[in-house]
Amino acid sequence: MEEVLQFGGFLLMDYAAMVVYAKRAVRYSKSLLDAQRPENSAAFYGASLLFLWMVVFSGLPVIVIFLFLYSALLLYFLLFFGNGLPVALFASGTFMFHIADLYMLLFGIFSLNCDICSMEAFRGNYRYLVLVLLVILVSTVCLEIFSRVIDQAAIQILIGNKRQLRFAATSLMFIDIYLLILSVVYDSSTYTGLILMFLVITAVLLVGAFYTAFLHAVRMSVLERYESKFKDMESQLEQSNRSLGKLKDEAYTDVLTGAASRRYGLLKLDRMVQERKQFSVALIDLDGLKKVNDNLGHQEGDRYLVGVSHALSGYFGAEYVCRLGGDEFLVILPDKTEQEAAVLMEEACRNMEEDFQRQGITFGPSVSYGIVQVDQLAAGSVSGLLELADRRMYEMKRKQHKMRQ
């Protein structure tokens, strides 16, 4: 009578532990995957009862019970969750591994300690129920540890990585198949200490194999995610740099003439003044632009500006010529004295006339300019430099006007 009570008590504990484990497993799976169907509590109780009956009373070989469990888990993940076959194989394989491997480990230890020699003798008493209870309880503890130690976000990244998920699912399938093959040993007629030790050691080694493959897949998935994000950020940075470069070009380029803008010229001039470099500047003003605009139209006036800009840029270099605004241009002449700059400007004006003749432009060019050598300024300021150049430019303009009269 006492043995019957023990058997019945452990049977109830097995059933209760199995229901608890099933509920926790489903809750954890739902936290990782998208459930497609509502939870059915009756299914937990019915499935747990059926599985317990198979384990304890059916007398079916262990390999058949494990195959049923594996198939039921796979079908459950396929039907209840809509994540596809690879995810279903991975999830069912993970649960199957922990249950089967713990069963093998505890079965070996239990059989060695209790001197159990055959499954036939083992299943007929309450000690087998104790083994089943231990397997379920340890599986529940492992599930709790797994859910807390393994980063849930990392697993979700793995699930989203098809290549690494296939690797993890395939590795799990091979490990589970090996466990199924080994389960044939459980139904042998007799056990020896050597066989039981082999089962215990193999169970420990398979834990290492499982977590090596699993953690490798997780790390590679996380690494690939970061690499993908880095490439996206790099692409965005390149796009931003291109946009910034375009904006910079627009800010530093005069729209009409294509010469450098006033902003660019003043920044370059200020930098050269700060660095105390030797150079000269020529402030240039176009003569007769208003007359051209009034008599021939603004289109011809723009043509006048563009022609002068191209001629100056072609002679001095585009980086040293900028349009200050209106009909004024600035030319920077590095390492040139005022006398050398004056010679170059005379030659540039002759070159400009030839350019206009080749282009068939009948008016101009006529320019006035004022040249200043930077070391002539005590203060060395840009504003002072341009002010002096502007005075000299207007002196030249007045002289040319008197000569025409």
Side-chain angles (χ1 to χ4, degrees), residues 28 127 137 158 172 177 252 257 289 315:
Y28 180 64
R127 287 181 297 180
L137 291 177
L158 170 61
L172 275 173
I177 289 171
Y252 287 170
T257 63
L289 177 62
Y315 187 80

PDB file of all heavy atoms in Angstrom, residues 28 127 137 158 172 177 252 257 289 315:
ATOM      1  N   TYR A  28       8.086  31.693 -22.453  1.00  0.00           N
ATOM      2  CA  TYR A  28       9.396  32.160 -22.935  1.00  0.00           C
ATOM      3  C   TYR A  28       9.421  32.205 -24.462  1.00  0.00           C
ATOM      4  O   TYR A  28       9.964  33.145 -25.062  1.00  0.00           O
ATOM      5  CB  TYR A  28      10.500  31.238 -22.419  1.00  0.00           C
ATOM      6  CG  TYR A  28      11.886  31.647 -22.884  1.00  0.00           C
ATOM      7  CD1 TYR A  28      12.438  32.861 -22.482  1.00  0.00           C
ATOM      8  CD2 TYR A  28      12.636  30.821 -23.715  1.00  0.00           C
ATOM      9  CE1 TYR A  28      13.702  33.244 -22.905  1.00  0.00           C
ATOM     10  CE2 TYR A  28      13.894  31.192 -24.131  1.00  0.00           C
ATOM     11  CZ  TYR A  28      14.421  32.406 -23.735  1.00  0.00           C
ATOM     12  OH  TYR A  28      15.662  32.784 -24.160  1.00  0.00           O
ATOM     13  N   ARG A 127      10.912   4.702  -8.449  1.00  0.00           N
ATOM     14  CA  ARG A 127      12.185   5.394  -8.705  1.00  0.00           C
ATOM     15  C   ARG A 127      12.243   5.984 -10.126  1.00  0.00           C
ATOM     16  O   ARG A 127      12.898   6.997 -10.362  1.00  0.00           O
ATOM     17  CB  ARG A 127      13.343   4.424  -8.478  1.00  0.00           C
ATOM     18  CG  ARG A 127      13.589   4.127  -7.000  1.00  0.00           C
ATOM     19  CD  ARG A 127      14.746   3.187  -6.797  1.00  0.00           C
ATOM     20  NE  ARG A 127      14.494   1.871  -7.402  1.00  0.00           N
ATOM     21  CZ  ARG A 127      15.359   0.855  -7.362  1.00  0.00           C
ATOM     22  NH1 ARG A 127      16.513   1.011  -6.730  1.00  0.00           N
ATOM     23  NH2 ARG A 127      15.067  -0.302  -7.917  1.00  0.00           N
ATOM     24  N   LEU A 137      12.201  18.945 -13.368  1.00  0.00           N
ATOM     25  CA  LEU A 137      12.605  20.044 -12.495  1.00  0.00           C
ATOM     26  C   LEU A 137      13.901  20.686 -12.955  1.00  0.00           C
ATOM     27  O   LEU A 137      14.026  21.916 -12.995  1.00  0.00           O
ATOM     28  CB  LEU A 137      12.754  19.542 -11.051  1.00  0.00           C
ATOM     29  CG  LEU A 137      11.453  19.132 -10.344  1.00  0.00           C
ATOM     30  CD1 LEU A 137      11.756  18.580  -8.958  1.00  0.00           C
ATOM     31  CD2 LEU A 137      10.492  20.309 -10.253  1.00  0.00           C
ATOM     32  N   LEU A 158      19.611  36.522 -33.844  1.00  0.00           N
ATOM     33  CA  LEU A 158      19.913  35.236 -34.476  1.00  0.00           C
ATOM     34  C   LEU A 158      18.720  34.758 -35.303  1.00  0.00           C
ATOM     35  O   LEU A 158      18.888  34.286 -36.442  1.00  0.00           O
ATOM     36  CB  LEU A 158      20.268  34.203 -33.403  1.00  0.00           C
ATOM     37  CG  LEU A 158      20.376  32.740 -33.877  1.00  0.00           C
ATOM     38  CD1 LEU A 158      21.468  32.586 -34.924  1.00  0.00           C
ATOM     39  CD2 LEU A 158      20.618  31.812 -32.697  1.00  0.00           C
ATOM     40  N   LEU A 172      21.806  21.727 -34.253  1.00  0.00           N
ATOM     41  CA  LEU A 172      20.894  21.139 -33.270  1.00  0.00           C
ATOM     42  C   LEU A 172      20.288  19.830 -33.777  1.00  0.00           C
ATOM     43  O   LEU A 172      20.133  18.869 -33.021  1.00  0.00           O
ATOM     44  CB  LEU A 172      19.773  22.126 -32.956  1.00  0.00           C
ATOM     45  CG  LEU A 172      20.083  23.178 -31.885  1.00  0.00           C
ATOM     46  CD1 LEU A 172      18.950  24.181 -31.807  1.00  0.00           C
ATOM     47  CD2 LEU A 172      20.303  22.537 -30.541  1.00  0.00           C
ATOM     48  N   ILE A 177      19.671  14.159 -33.310  1.00  0.00           N
ATOM     49  CA  ILE A 177      19.673  12.832 -33.960  1.00  0.00           C
ATOM     50  C   ILE A 177      20.622  11.888 -33.227  1.00  0.00           C
ATOM     51  O   ILE A 177      20.317  10.700 -33.020  1.00  0.00           O
ATOM     52  CB  ILE A 177      20.052  12.968 -35.450  1.00  0.00           C
ATOM     53  CG1 ILE A 177      18.906  13.635 -36.217  1.00  0.00           C
ATOM     54  CG2 ILE A 177      20.360  11.610 -36.052  1.00  0.00           C
ATOM     55  CD1 ILE A 177      19.275  14.017 -37.639  1.00  0.00           C
ATOM     56  N   TYR A 252      31.084  78.079 -51.954  1.00  0.00           N
ATOM     57  CA  TYR A 252      32.385  78.601 -52.355  1.00  0.00           C
ATOM     58  C   TYR A 252      32.489  78.866 -53.858  1.00  0.00           C
ATOM     59  O   TYR A 252      33.574  79.172 -54.348  1.00  0.00           O
ATOM     60  CB  TYR A 252      33.485  77.624 -51.950  1.00  0.00           C
ATOM     61  CG  TYR A 252      33.767  77.594 -50.457  1.00  0.00           C
ATOM     62  CD1 TYR A 252      34.578  76.622 -49.897  1.00  0.00           C
ATOM     63  CD2 TYR A 252      33.216  78.549 -49.606  1.00  0.00           C
ATOM     64  CE1 TYR A 252      34.834  76.586 -48.530  1.00  0.00           C
ATOM     65  CE2 TYR A 252      33.461  78.524 -48.249  1.00  0.00           C
ATOM     66  CZ  TYR A 252      34.276  77.542 -47.713  1.00  0.00           C
ATOM     67  OH  TYR A 252      34.518  77.517 -46.365  1.00  0.00           O
ATOM     68  N   THR A 257      29.447  83.035 -62.732  1.00  0.00           N
ATOM     69  CA  THR A 257      30.727  82.967 -63.468  1.00  0.00           C
ATOM     70  C   THR A 257      31.466  81.648 -63.284  1.00  0.00           C
ATOM     71  O   THR A 257      32.348  81.319 -64.074  1.00  0.00           O
ATOM     72  CB  THR A 257      31.647  84.106 -63.013  1.00  0.00           C
ATOM     73  OG1 THR A 257      31.956  83.918 -61.611  1.00  0.00           O
ATOM     74  CG2 THR A 257      30.969  85.455 -63.196  1.00  0.00           C
ATOM     75  N   LEU A 289      30.470  97.937 -67.517  1.00  0.00           N
ATOM     76  CA  LEU A 289      29.468  96.876 -67.394  1.00  0.00           C
ATOM     77  C   LEU A 289      28.056  97.462 -67.424  1.00  0.00           C
ATOM     78  O   LEU A 289      27.153  96.915 -68.068  1.00  0.00           O
ATOM     79  CB  LEU A 289      29.685  96.088 -66.099  1.00  0.00           C
ATOM     80  CG  LEU A 289      28.644  94.995 -65.817  1.00  0.00           C
ATOM     81  CD1 LEU A 289      28.646  93.934 -66.902  1.00  0.00           C
ATOM     82  CD2 LEU A 289      28.887  94.352 -64.450  1.00  0.00           C
ATOM     83  N   TYR A 315      44.320  82.204 -66.620  1.00  0.00           N
ATOM     84  CA  TYR A 315      45.672  82.752 -66.543  1.00  0.00           C
ATOM     85  C   TYR A 315      46.291  82.557 -65.158  1.00  0.00           C
ATOM     86  O   TYR A 315      47.440  82.118 -65.037  1.00  0.00           O
ATOM     87  CB  TYR A 315      45.648  84.241 -66.900  1.00  0.00           C
ATOM     88  CG  TYR A 315      47.021  84.855 -67.000  1.00  0.00           C
ATOM     89  CD1 TYR A 315      47.789  84.689 -68.150  1.00  0.00           C
ATOM     90  CD2 TYR A 315      47.556  85.605 -65.960  1.00  0.00           C
ATOM     91  CE1 TYR A 315      49.062  85.234 -68.251  1.00  0.00           C
ATOM     92  CE2 TYR A 315      48.822  86.162 -66.047  1.00  0.00           C
ATOM     93  CZ  TYR A 315      49.571  85.976 -67.190  1.00  0.00           C
ATOM     94  OH  TYR A 315      50.834  86.514 -67.280  1.00  0.00           O
TER      95      TYR A 315
END
